[in-house]
Amino acid sequence: MTQTRTAPFMSLQVKYTYCPVCKNNAFQPVLTAIDHTVTKESFTIAECSMCGLRFTLNAPAEAAIQKYYQSSAYISHSNTKRGIINLIYHGARFFTMMSKERLVKKESKRQVGMLLDIGSGTGTFAHTMEKAGWSVTGLEPDPEARALAVKKYNCDIYPSEDLFRLPAETYSVITMWHVLEHVHQLDDYVLRIKELLAPNGKLIVAVPNYTSKDAAVYGADWASYDVPRHLYHFSPKSMRVLMKRHGLRVIKTRRMWLDSFYISLLSEKNRNGFFLRGLWNGFVSNINALMRSEKCSSLIYVIDKEG
């Protein structure tokens, strides 16, 4: 993977010569998706024939990507409630936070502990866990999102580069809620996370799943491709390959039922389609995932160190 200079708005691009997960060079373009959030630019997505990872070709490099997050519609950074879909998101968020808190406690077998939340956004989850008695360190690259976290929750969220300055073997749980797909330094992050996990610690990673039914229905309009902000588009197989290559293992997966509805509604919006059809497609996707557990629109992977 190298970086090259191109046009002014995309002054740096990521160029892939091999798959970011398995390092094989057997990959081919499979579809072209549009940046519906900011620029309306098109980006090609390739798929690795070995591990099944899909990844965005010619995505902006880390030095150039921030421009693609500058939108009031980007909810994890702005907390916007504009539009019916964002209102639904906020309405469901309380239940989502409670579900995440229960999951952390169950998988760590702890009622309190040290938690590192990577990609904290405006601090809602970090605040939830602090209220539950956990000692939380939050990391977030966007300074405006960090400022909102302080303003709304009085919650200190630190710049993402602090990841490489934290003490090793410290955290009972490390969480990445829809973050890993954004990380340019994929191998460096996973290796560092392994170092930061305490003995018997758990890594909890939530990412979209392009093998889901709603992804098949919407194709290139599937909202969770979210190019170019999403650099990687994981399947369960590619997640397991990535973790195993770094001495980690996926011990279980959990389905994120509400994501199927939210992503289908956003996908329908991408097509200028119908609200009710989005709800229906989310419902059908969840029915499919009931029978095929790793076909949910988004999956949570619970991960620990091998051996």
Side-chain angles (χ1 to χ4, degrees):
M1 186 172 72
T2 60
Q3 296 181 352
T4 182
R5 295 191 178 279
T6 56
F9 189 69
M10 293 177 60
S11 60
L12 290 169
Q13 287 184 333
V14 178
K15 293 285 189 180
Y16 292 101
T17 55
Y18 49 79
C19 169
V21 162
C22 72
K23 310 307 179 185
N24 196 285
N25 61 5
F27 62 86
Q28 295 292 331
V30 290
L31 57 87
T32 299
I34 296 172
D35 172 15
H36 290 280
T37 305
V38 180
T39 68
K40 310 305 178 187
E41 292 178 64
S42 296
F43 293 86
T44 300
I45 294 173
E47 181 176 331
C48 176
S49 62
M50 299 300 290
C51 72
L53 179 77
R54 289 185 175 182
F55 49 101
T56 304
L57 299 178
N58 298 328
E62 192 169 10
I65 194 71
Q66 192 57 37
K67 296 175 182 178
Y68 290 85
Y69 287 89
Q70 300 306 311
S71 170
S72 61
Y74 200 69
I75 192 166
S76 69
H77 285 187
S78 71
N79 253 356
T80 181
K81 294 183 180 179
R82 217 183 304 171
I84 189 168
I85 296 175
N86 287 332
L87 283 172
I88 291 170
Y89 174 90
H90 279 276
R93 189 158 63 175
F94 171 79
F95 299 100
T96 301
M97 291 301 117
M98 294 303 100
S99 174
K100 289 177 178 179
E101 180 187 330
R102 287 194 299 271
L103 178 67
V104 165
K105 291 177 178 178
K106 179 179 180 181
E107 296 303 334
S108 67
K109 298 180 172 60
R110 291 172 172 269
Q111 290 303 301
V112 294
M114 298 280 288
L115 184 141
L116 173 63
D117 183 42
I118 301 174
S120 294
T122 56
T124 304
F125 175 69
H127 177 64
T128 298
M129 296 309 297
E130 283 182 343
K131 286 197 304 179
W134 284 66
S135 177
V136 179
T137 301
L139 301 177
E140 167 59 41
D142 186 73
E144 292 184 11
R146 296 198 302 269
L148 279 172
V150 173
K151 181 179 179 181
K152 187 168 184 180
Y153 301 117
N154 194 27
C155 187
D156 288 329
I157 307 295
Y158 302 97
S160 292
E161 54 265 28
D162 284 8
L163 177 74
F164 298 96
R165 293 192 282 267
L166 298 173
E169 297 191 340
T170 297
Y171 298 98
S172 311
V173 178
I174 299 176
T175 53
M176 301 182 79
W177 303 110
H178 289 286
V179 170
L180 192 63
E181 63 269 33
H182 297 262
V183 172
H184 282 80
Q185 303 170 54
L186 185 62
D187 287 336
D188 291 343
Y189 262 62
V190 177
L191 281 170
R192 183 61 179 145
I193 286 165
K194 181 184 176 184
E195 292 171 354
L196 293 173
L197 280 174
N200 301 314
K202 298 292 186 291
L203 168 62
I204 297 175
V205 175
V207 291
N209 174 22
Y210 82 80
T211 72
S212 64
K213 178 67 174 177
D214 51 299
V217 167
Y218 287 106
D221 291 322
W222 188 51
S224 276
Y225 281 126
D226 196 24
V227 292
R229 289 159 294 278
H230 287 190
L231 306 174
Y232 322 107
H233 316 283
F234 289 98
S235 63
K237 179 181 178 181
S238 60
M239 181 63 72
R240 289 187 170 92
V241 170
L242 174 64
M243 294 303 159
K244 183 174 180 57
R245 196 164 57 78
H246 292 292
L248 298 164
R249 60 177 180 172
V250 175
I251 56 176
K252 65 180 69 172
T253 57
R254 300 280 188 184
R255 292 164 287 197
M256 300 186 78
W257 299 110
L258 292 179
D259 276 30
S260 302
F261 293 105
Y262 179 63
I263 295 304
S264 291
L265 288 171
L266 286 176
S267 303
E268 202 64 38
K269 183 181 177 183
N270 289 345
R271 289 184 169 181
N272 295 315
F274 299 103
F275 181 85
L276 289 178
R277 185 162 58 199
L279 289 177
W280 173 253
N281 285 334
F283 173 75
V284 170
S285 184
N286 279 341
I287 292 297
N288 184 68
L290 276 173
M291 297 176 285
R292 305 168 74 190
S293 64
E294 291 193 344
K295 294 294 183 181
C296 200
S297 186
S298 292
L299 289 171
I300 298 170
Y301 298 87
V302 181
I303 298 158
D304 66 5
K305 297 180 184 181
E306 284 187 333

